[in-house]
Amino acid sequence: MADLHELLAQGQSYPPEYRDQLANHLPMALHALFELGASPQQLRAFESGYARRFEGLARPEPAPPAADWLALRGQMSAYAPLRAFFEAALAQEGRDALLRRVLPELMDAGLATAAFHGLIRTAHAIQAWYEPELASALAYWASRWQALPAPRLVAEPPSLVLPDWAAELATRAQGWRSEAPLIQLRMMEASATPTYQQLADALAPAADAPTRVAELAQLALEVYMQTRNFTVLHMITGLRALRVVLPWLAQPERVQLPLARSLAAAYLAGRVTPLARRPAALPQSWPEALALARVSSDDHLIKLAHACQDEARAYGEPRYLQAAALAVAMASY
């Protein structure tokens, strides 16, 4: 872990985004590689290759801590003072107290911020046990924070069971498509559609939040195996991240409604279609699949392989191996 922390420390000088609002995946992918068993040499090689994306970009300048972080929520230009705020708060309050205080404010309507990357980066930072990276992750989530709107017309209490809700969403999604370049932009456009307005709040709640997260994780897994869709990949990694942070939520049941809204918008944004072709042969074991992931330069593939391994351990679901195997095989197909 010392090698991981050294690289995460080095990465604190990199901007949280590059090009046109693409999230910096370096710290997330480094932690994922570490968990997949990458060697220090593999970690450094990945860091060296990924860091080229930041060449010529301005580095975050030091700034005084924000006095009121909520007042700056949603302002990307405030990343530096927000990061200073979270770094100081971690030192004063400790990790657990700070997470219990700020996670509800970040998740309420903003769970899917930046295509779930605020949540995903935060979960990776928690598990990496490196507080400067956690401060950066929370600052990114807060600065890029964007509320996914509630449906305007909700006349009935939520009543659809998950299989019916998922089937209705899949059917109605076929009639809508956005050409916006980013997942987050397509999700915001999707939130204005009749399908979102009718279904986002129609899913009947599960017995508790962990049950709902597990059910939706299984749904995302099924859809990914049928489609290998890039947005659905983010649903898998986002749901894993949500499972990680649930213990810090004092009222975890409150996450069920924003989660359903987020996944409804994400599914619509995904432009989901069945997979046209599949590799003739797939890796047949975790060691084989993860060995291919460890040498990949694809940050999304690395994070997906890690999420699949982690979710398989959490849920005892063997199909996660099939999803990881499909991803690594298609990468070279």
Side-chain angles (χ1 to χ4, degrees):
M1 187 163 280
D3 295 289
L4 172 64
H5 287 180
E6 179 182 342
L7 292 173
L8 291 176
Q10 183 174 314
Q12 297 310 300
S13 65
Y14 296 140
E17 292 180 340
Y18 64 101
R19 294 212 306 253
D20 295 324
Q21 298 182 23
L22 295 179
N24 173 3
H25 286 62
L26 180 57
M28 299 179 271
L30 285 172
H31 172 252
L33 279 170
F34 171 77
E35 294 291 349
L36 294 177
S39 68
Q41 292 75 22
Q42 287 173 320
L43 290 173
R44 293 191 181 95
F46 181 86
E47 194 281 337
S48 177
Y50 196 98
R52 297 192 187 101
R53 305 183 191 199
F54 307 120
E55 291 177 355
L57 298 182
R59 305 299 174 96
E61 294 289 338
D68 181 359
W69 78 275
L70 281 173
L72 297 178
R73 192 174 58 171
Q75 299 181 36
M76 194 61 201
S77 60
Y79 171 78
L82 283 166
R83 192 195 175 283
F85 168 84
F86 286 118
E87 190 167 42
L90 280 166
Q92 294 167 6
E93 302 175 41
R95 184 189 71 165
D96 294 344
L98 179 64
L99 289 174
R100 285 193 292 266
R101 179 163 69 89
V102 304
L103 281 178
E105 302 286 1
L106 291 168
M107 284 196 176
D108 185 22
L111 187 151
T113 290
F116 302 98
H117 284 120
L119 170 63
I120 295 168
R121 184 168 177 178
T122 296
H124 278 287
I126 289 170
Q127 294 183 309
W129 289 97
Y130 188 62
E131 290 196 349
E133 170 53 24
L134 181 55
S136 295
L138 292 170
Y140 179 58
W141 194 349
S143 60
R144 185 51 79 188
W145 190 88
Q146 186 174 28
L148 193 64
R152 292 184 297 274
L153 301 173
V154 181
E156 300 177 357
S159 59
L160 291 179
V161 296
L162 182 57
D164 293 344
W165 182 81
E168 191 75 11
L169 180 60
T171 298
R172 296 192 188 191
Q174 296 175 17
W176 182 82
R177 184 178 180 86
S178 167
E179 298 302 329
L182 296 175
I183 294 172
Q184 185 69 22
L185 297 178
R186 297 199 299 272
M187 289 179 67
M188 294 306 294
E189 289 184 8
S191 70
T193 64
T195 297
Y196 178 90
Q197 296 294 320
Q198 294 161 12
L199 291 179
D201 285 2
L203 178 61
D208 54 57
T211 297
R212 177 45 38 91
V213 172
E215 290 173 345
L216 290 171
Q218 294 299 301
L219 175 62
L221 173 64
E222 292 172 8
V223 176
Y224 183 80
M225 291 177 62
Q226 296 163 8
T227 65
R228 197 175 171 265
N229 182 271
F230 186 64
T231 302
V232 177
L233 179 156
H234 288 79
M235 292 163 64
I236 291 177
T237 54
L239 285 159
R240 186 206 80 89
L242 180 55
R243 175 176 59 78
V244 170
V245 306
L246 273 181
W248 285 275
L249 298 181
Q251 296 178 290
E253 305 319 314
R254 293 182 59 180
V255 82
Q256 291 202 47
L257 187 58
L259 177 58
R261 291 173 181 171
S262 297
L263 293 191
Y267 189 91
L268 285 162
R271 306 176 292 201
V272 178
T273 56
L275 192 62
R277 56 178 184 165
R278 293 175 179 271
L282 298 177
Q284 297 299 303
S285 67
W286 279 113
E288 186 181 358
L290 299 186
L292 292 171
R294 286 194 296 269
V295 297
S296 174
S297 60
D298 185 334
D299 46 308
H300 285 96
L301 173 60
I302 291 165
K303 288 166 55 192
L304 176 67
H306 165 252
C308 286
Q309 182 190 47
D310 201 37
E311 296 288 72
R313 290 169 175 166
Y315 299 130
E317 171 55 76
R319 291 180 301 165
Y320 278 108
L321 170 58
Q322 299 171 33
L326 176 65
V328 297
M330 289 289 288
S332 57
Y333 188 46

